[in-house]
Amino acid sequence: MDTKITGGIDIAMKVPPHQFQQTIDFYRHVIKLTEITDKPPATGFVLGPNRLWIDEAPGLSQAEVWLELFTPDFRLAEQHIAGQGVVRCDAVEPLPEGFKGGWIMNPCNIVHMLREPEAW
């Protein structure tokens, strides 16, 4: 099976409520990254060639970083990762019906969204 998986442009930082506003303020006022405002209520920042999204995550006690991977064919990539024993973790956050992607974890439990570029 020949499937292609590449790095995406989105990085999500899942932040507990007690640290959320301070984290937004850090990137907005201290680091002064350009804010992404066209996808409310999401809060994002331009991070070089990437986009950093700060998401409030009430179920967490400490922050987590989630990464994005692209594939031109999610069904083929899904078969490939299943054959490699990769852990699916779709319960971490709901995705829309018909979404061409899913959530996986690497061996040290970092969440990755694996999706087709036009999955949204």
Side-chain angles (χ1 to χ4, degrees):
M1 180 178 323
D2 186 29
T3 188
K4 181 178 180 181
I5 299 174
T6 61
I9 61 171
D10 289 326
I11 300 168
M13 187 178 297
K14 305 297 185 171
V15 179
H18 68 279
Q19 296 172 324
F20 181 73
Q21 191 57 52
Q22 299 94 321
T23 302
I24 296 293
D25 290 345
F26 173 79
Y27 290 104
R28 185 182 283 152
H29 301 299
V30 177
I31 304 300
K32 298 184 179 183
L33 294 179
T34 301
E35 192 164 352
I36 301 168
T37 59
D38 65 342
K39 297 191 185 316
T43 303
F45 296 93
V46 177
L47 186 67
N50 297 96
R51 297 179 297 201
L52 174 63
W53 299 97
I54 313 296
D55 298 329
E56 189 171 10
L60 297 181
S61 63
Q62 63 185 24
E64 296 182 2
V65 173
W66 295 9
L67 302 174
E68 177 182 63
L69 299 169
F70 285 156
T71 181
D73 184 334
F74 177 70
R75 291 193 191 280
L76 186 61
E78 184 178 33
Q79 292 171 4
H80 171 73
I81 63 170
Q84 298 298 313
V86 173
V87 176
R88 288 290 299 268
C89 57
D90 291 324
V92 296
E93 186 174 290
L95 294 168
E97 184 72 29
F99 185 80
K100 294 179 182 174
W103 299 109
I104 64 172
M105 282 192 181
N106 74 10
C108 65
N109 295 322
I110 300 297
V111 176
H112 293 66
M113 173 182 279
L114 175 59
R115 69 178 182 94
E116 294 181 16
E118 304 301 322
W120 295 109

